Amino acid sequence: MPERRMPPIRPYARRLRIRLGMVLLAGSLAACASPPEGVLTPVAQSAPDATAVSIMVATTRAPSENPGLLYSGERGTTIDFNELVVSIPPEDNRKVGEVQWPRKLPPNPSREFATLSASQFTTVNEVEEWYRQNRSPSGRLLIFVHGFNTRYESAVYRFAQIAHDSNTDATPVMFTWPSRGSVFDYGYDKESTNYSRSALEALLAGAADASEVKDITILAHSMGTWLTMESLRQMAIRNDGIPDKIGNVILASPDLDVDVFRQQLADMGPKRPQFTVFVSKDDRALTLSRRISGNVDRLGQIDISDPIYREEFERGGITILDLSALQVGDRLNHSKFAESPEVVKLLGQRLIDGQAVTDQDLGLGTELGATALSVSNTVGSAAGMAISAPIAIVDPKARDTFDAQSRRFGRGLGETIDGVATGLTLGLSDGQSNQRMCGPDSANCR
């Protein structure tokens, strides 16, 4: 009798692992107590010593019929503008980096975040008046773009926390795109970022055109980094560069394919902002994203002890801050930039102001960016970094002291961030192509 064989299961193994990962991810999120629905319903008054934070919100979400939610996770047909004023509990009753969600409604403003007012702007004059009232002395604007799996109220409270805890003088503006707030809607959320690219570009262009705005910093998280990079790329192609006012872009836990990131930078050309990237090798959310997305490294999870990556980003003038050793309350290790008191203060004291960060700012006592990588005398082998500090940095300014042997170690990348080919060649009948090509110094583009 012939032997019976079980049908092959390998084609299903990857999908099964991904699905299991989604379930485990959802379980980790559900383990945290969910806030009551309707926290954006304004309360009558705040508490003594509480701090009121006013933020302007631009959104491509569809309005919600629930006044306590304001907006849903579905896609709207217009860009809506709102002012949200959030009450932050007194310093003695909270920890820096935490959002104290209400346990029940109405909230207790002395110990919990509370909404003081929510107003929709219907005219340009109302938007301009809000800015005049909230304009920072420096004329600096901070635009925050949230990430995957984020409800409207979660984005509002998180940004209010960042604006408050960073103690920045920048005027806070948030761009929120249609996210359904579910780990099982990764595909929908990703397409929603594409849906919102032109809207974010319009917001950035309008801010750059305003004479009262002197400097713009963009802080983007997770999947919001894809939206940010695509909007900047689109703006650069449309206008042959990015406005000088957009001088600083901070990518926190970027859910970006590293190959796509290289291409986006090349498409922007030489006239692009300064980029700072927060990475963490233990980011569980990005581990799952990598499996979903073809097993290509995610930018927010790169290992800066890899001399190939170090060399490439140093050459590209990109600062990398490695938060792998930091421990925070986030079970997914995906929001360290906002939950770590050290990092959120660094945002306000240095990065949002567009200032360079050095090892001295991090209190490391050693030049990690220049000397932590040890390369043996034998070409072709390298030792890893010895990181004893909670935050490590790859400083582009340190590359001159970087051991030359490390540049010859490992596999070759071909083009670098400075001069990557621009993707697929167009199949034109006359053999011509309208590709945009950049030379190694990023200054010779055609």
Side-chain angles (χ1 to χ4, degrees):
M1 185 173 181
E3 180 183 357
R4 295 185 62 187
R5 295 183 180 180
M6 296 293 292
I9 61 173
R10 288 185 179 179
Y12 308 100
R14 182 172 179 270
R15 281 179 289 175
L16 182 61
R17 287 196 300 268
I18 291 173
R19 186 68 180 177
L20 179 59
M22 287 286 196
V23 172
L24 293 175
L25 185 60
S28 296
L29 295 171
C32 304
S34 299
E37 185 175 285
V39 297
L40 296 184
T41 301
V43 298
Q45 60 184 13
S46 184
D49 299 325
T51 303
V53 177
S54 174
I55 62 176
M56 183 172 70
V57 181
T59 183
T60 50
R61 295 176 185 250
S64 170
E65 296 180 357
N66 186 334
L69 298 179
L70 295 184
Y71 289 89
S72 69
E74 302 307 305
R75 298 164 188 162
T77 57
T78 61
I79 308 175
D80 283 358
F81 289 84
N82 298 268
E83 179 196 23
L84 276 295
V85 181
V86 179
S87 172
I88 311 291
E91 299 303 310
D92 293 341
N93 294 339
R94 66 180 300 268
K95 295 180 180 179
V96 172
E98 290 187 359
V99 174
Q100 285 71 29
W101 283 95
R103 297 182 179 180
K104 61 180 182 179
L105 297 180
N108 178 2
S110 66
R111 296 188 175 277
E112 300 168 332
F113 278 46
T115 304
L116 300 182
S117 68
S119 307
Q120 184 173 13
F121 297 141
T122 58
T123 67
V124 173
N125 288 339
E126 289 176 318
V127 174
E128 293 175 344
E129 179 59 28
W130 177 88
Y131 180 76
R132 282 192 290 269
Q133 293 179 4
N134 294 275
R135 182 183 184 275
S136 73
S138 64
R140 183 172 295 111
L141 198 68
L142 171 62
I143 298 179
F144 176 62
V145 185
H146 65 77
F148 163 62
N149 184 31
T150 302
R151 294 164 61 91
Y152 183 83
E153 63 269 28
S154 298
V156 169
Y157 275 19
R158 173 59 76 188
F159 185 42
Q161 173 258 312
I162 293 171
H164 175 269
D165 290 349
S166 65
N167 198 31
T168 177
D169 73 338
T171 302
V173 174
M174 181 174 72
F175 183 87
T176 172
W177 47 275
S179 167
R180 285 179 172 166
S182 168
V183 295
F184 298 106
D185 279 314
Y186 187 92
Y188 173 85
D189 278 19
K190 184 64 175 287
E191 294 303 324
S192 290
T193 62
N194 294 331
Y195 176 78
S196 303
R197 286 178 297 194
S198 295
L200 177 56
E201 180 193 0
L203 175 65
L204 294 173
D209 287 342
S211 59
E212 300 87 352
V213 175
K214 304 303 180 184
D215 181 75
I216 300 170
T217 292
I218 304 172
L219 170 61
H221 178 228
S222 184
M223 193 180 284
T225 61
W226 165 264
L227 169 56
T228 297
M229 292 297 293
E230 282 294 285
S231 296
L232 290 173
R233 173 184 176 275
Q234 186 169 293
M235 176 181 285
I237 293 172
R238 192 190 308 275
N239 303 304
D240 196 26
I242 296 171
D244 291 336
K245 286 185 182 179
I246 305 176
N248 193 32
V249 178
I250 304 167
L251 305 178
S253 306
D255 187 2
L256 275 172
D257 181 314
V258 291
D259 296 331
V260 175
F261 178 64
R262 294 181 181 108
Q263 186 63 61
Q264 290 167 327
L265 287 177
D267 288 346
M268 290 180 196
K271 191 180 178 183
R272 65 183 185 228
Q274 170 65 41
F275 284 88
T276 301
V277 182
F278 288 115
V279 304
S280 185
K281 295 190 294 292
D282 61 353
D283 190 319
R284 295 173 62 197
L286 293 184
T287 296
L288 182 58
S289 175
R290 173 175 174 165
R291 292 174 182 170
I292 294 173
S293 306
N295 205 35
V296 178
D297 285 349
R298 312 312 283 174
L299 177 62
Q301 215 179 20
I302 63 168
D303 184 355
I304 67 170
S305 67
D306 183 339
I308 300 297
Y309 279 132
R310 290 174 62 86
E311 163 71 3
E312 184 175 8
F313 287 108
E314 285 171 348
R315 285 180 59 85
I318 297 171
T319 300
I320 306 289
L321 294 173
D322 189 347
L323 311 183
S324 297
L326 279 179
Q327 299 299 316
V328 296
D330 177 16
R331 299 188 181 201
L332 301 179
N333 298 315
H334 192 54
S335 299
K336 292 183 179 182
F337 81 104
E339 296 192 8
S340 165
E342 299 91 345
V343 177
V344 78
K345 289 177 181 177
L346 183 66
L347 281 170
Q349 294 169 2
R350 304 287 291 183
L351 293 174
I352 295 174
D353 292 348
Q355 301 182 47
V357 178
T358 67
D359 54 298
Q360 286 79 14
D361 295 314
L362 303 177
L364 303 186
T366 59
E367 295 182 359
L368 282 175
T371 64
L373 179 65
S374 174
V375 181
S376 72
N377 292 327
T378 303
V379 175
S381 64
M385 291 180 65
I387 300 174
S388 58
I391 305 175
I393 182 173
V394 171
D395 181 2
K397 296 179 181 178
R399 73 179 306 269
D400 290 337
T401 62
F402 199 58
D403 195 316
Q405 289 183 0
S406 69
R407 301 188 180 101
R408 299 193 297 271
F409 171 71
R411 58 185 176 83
L413 281 180
E415 267 89 16
T416 66
I417 284 174
D418 292 312
V420 66
T422 61
L424 300 176
T425 302
L426 298 179
L428 302 179
S429 57
D430 60 0
Q432 299 298 313
S433 170
N434 64 352
Q435 284 183 297
R436 177 186 178 92
M437 302 295 292
C438 292
D441 61 357
S442 293
N444 184 22
C445 293
R446 58 179 174 84

